[in-house]
């Protein structure tokens, strides 16, 4: 599918015109503020995430459109408040990309992707960021936030040398949790130790090239699929889950695993 720049510009202009018309004529669109749009935008982003996980490319296309609408919507509201407009948004991100890619638009030389990431963080600090970690949003889901914190710290050299060292840290944290449990430590201490395990596991996932959030999302889907099979087979057999033994449910669980493999 070949699309020229004129077609792209026309499509974007069409969306801007529609946004202007909706803001003027639609009762719902006229009432929206940045605050009311925020939860809807978060929902749209998760819907995009679902489509990506499911490899649903038509869904990805649809959700990208929804997110694009939200971006234009925020810019329209800001324009009405005389804060900024969509042109300034686009110009600012373009200038930032050029500024942060001196290996493409300047004389800086890089050897690999890691060099690019390190330069990116250095440039952010030069732009006035007060901390390497300051760019991590406070409201990110905890698992993703842990990953981003570790990635950013690693870019300035705060990093283990070997994967084996990270795995030893994971085992150390597990031992500390078990020790706290045996000592009948309070919930607060157990929570702390459990959090340390999760943080260490996120770090280990990063070292072995696994995205922990994607991994857990897929495991959640797998569990739901297998448990739904148990529910369906129990219903077909006239059984109630509450009356079944763990062995009975486990046998159905194993059937579900075999079905997926086949």
């Amino acid at each position: 599918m070949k699309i020229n720049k004129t077609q792209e510009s026309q499509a974007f202009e069409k969306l801007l015109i529609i946004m202007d018309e909706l803001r003027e004529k639609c009762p719902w669109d006229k009432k929206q503020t940045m605050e009311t749009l925020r939860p809807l935008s978060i929902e749209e982003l998760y819907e995009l995430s679902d489509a990506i996980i499911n490899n649903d490319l038509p869904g990805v296309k649809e959700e990208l459109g929804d997110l694009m609408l939200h971006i234009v919507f925020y810019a329209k509201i800001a324009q009405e408040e005389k804060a900024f407009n969509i042109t300034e948004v686009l110009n600012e991100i373009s200038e930032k990309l050029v500024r942060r890619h001196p290996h493409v638009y300047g004389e800086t030389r890089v050897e690999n992707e890691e060099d690019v990431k390190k330069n990116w963080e250095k440039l952010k600090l030069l732009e006035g960021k007060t901390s390497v970690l300051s760019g991590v949003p406070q409201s990110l889901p905890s698992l993703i936030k842990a990953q981003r914190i570790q990635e950013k710290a690693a870019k300035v050299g705060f990093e283990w040398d070997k994967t084996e060292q990270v795995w030893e840290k994971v085992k150390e944290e597990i031992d500390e949790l078990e020790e706290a449990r045996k000592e009948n430590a309070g919930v607060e201490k157990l929570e702390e130790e459990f959090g340390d395990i999760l943080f260490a596991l996120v770090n280990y996932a990063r070292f072995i090239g696994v995205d922990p959030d994607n991994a857990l999302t897929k495991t959640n889907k797998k569990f739901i699929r297998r448990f739904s099979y148990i529910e369906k087979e129990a219903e077909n057999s006239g059984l109630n889950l509450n009356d079944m033994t763990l062995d009975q449910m486990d046998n159905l669980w194993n059937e579900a695993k075999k079905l997926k493999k086949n």
Side-chain angles (χ1 to χ4, degrees), residues 192-207:
E192 177 187 344
E193 297 298 347
F194 190 79
D196 289 345
I197 293 173
L198 291 178
F199 196 83
L201 278 171
V202 169
N203 204 25
Y204 184 69
R206 192 169 56 84
F207 265 76

Side-chain angles (χ1 to χ4, degrees), residues 39 42 57 74 79-80 88 102 104 124 141 161-162 170 172 175 191 201 205 222:
I42 293 171
L57 294 183
Y74 287 118
Q79 181 181 344
E80 292 169 356
E88 292 173 289
V104 176
K124 285 175 71 173
D161 293 322
K162 299 178 181 178
V170 172
E172 176 188 319
D175 289 341
E191 186 179 70
L201 278 171
K222 180 170 62 178

Side-chain angles (χ1 to χ4, degrees), residues 140-232:
L140 268 182
S142 297
L143 197 65
I144 299 174
K145 189 173 184 178
Q147 183 181 3
R148 295 296 293 130
I149 287 170
Q150 292 168 4
E151 288 171 349
K152 287 181 174 293
K155 287 171 188 173
V156 293
F158 193 73
E159 178 77 298
W160 295 100
D161 293 322
K162 299 178 181 178
T163 304
E164 291 75 18
Q165 293 172 308
V166 186
W167 182 242
E168 287 302 315
K169 185 64 176 174
V170 172
K171 292 192 290 185
E172 176 188 319
E173 298 295 356
I174 292 173
D175 289 341
E176 288 181 7
L177 174 62
E178 183 61 9
E179 183 180 341
R181 185 193 65 80
K182 288 178 179 178
E183 292 175 353
N184 294 316
V187 173
E188 188 174 334
K189 178 62 176 175
L190 293 173
E191 186 179 70
E192 177 187 344
E193 297 298 347
F194 190 79
D196 289 345
I197 293 173
L198 291 178
F199 196 83
L201 278 171
V202 169
N203 204 25
Y204 184 69
R206 192 169 56 84
F207 265 76
I208 62 175
V210 169
D211 184 296
D213 188 65
N214 284 347
L216 186 57
T217 298
K218 291 174 181 177
T219 295
N220 287 341
K221 284 184 62 180
K222 180 170 62 178
F223 184 92
I224 291 170
R225 183 179 67 247
R226 292 176 182 175
F227 194 80
S228 296
Y229 178 83
I230 294 175
E231 291 178 312
K232 181 181 177 183

Side-chain angles (χ1 to χ4, degrees), residues 66-82:
D66 290 341
L67 280 176
M68 183 67 72
L69 169 62
H70 278 239
I71 291 169
V72 168
F73 212 148
Y74 287 118
K76 176 64 178 176
I77 293 171
Q79 181 181 344
E80 292 169 356
E81 296 176 356
K82 296 183 170 50

Side-chain angles (χ1 to χ4, degrees), residues 42-52 59-60 63 66:
I42 293 171
E43 183 179 336
E44 295 294 354
L45 187 56
Y46 276 107
E47 288 178 0
L48 172 62
S49 176
D50 285 347
I52 292 171
V60 170
E63 300 307 335
D66 290 341

Side-chain angles (χ1 to χ4, degrees), residues 127-144:
E127 291 170 4
K129 301 290 183 183
T130 57
S131 167
V132 170
L133 305 180
S134 62
V136 181
Q138 291 295 317
S139 56
L140 268 182
S142 297
L143 197 65
I144 299 174

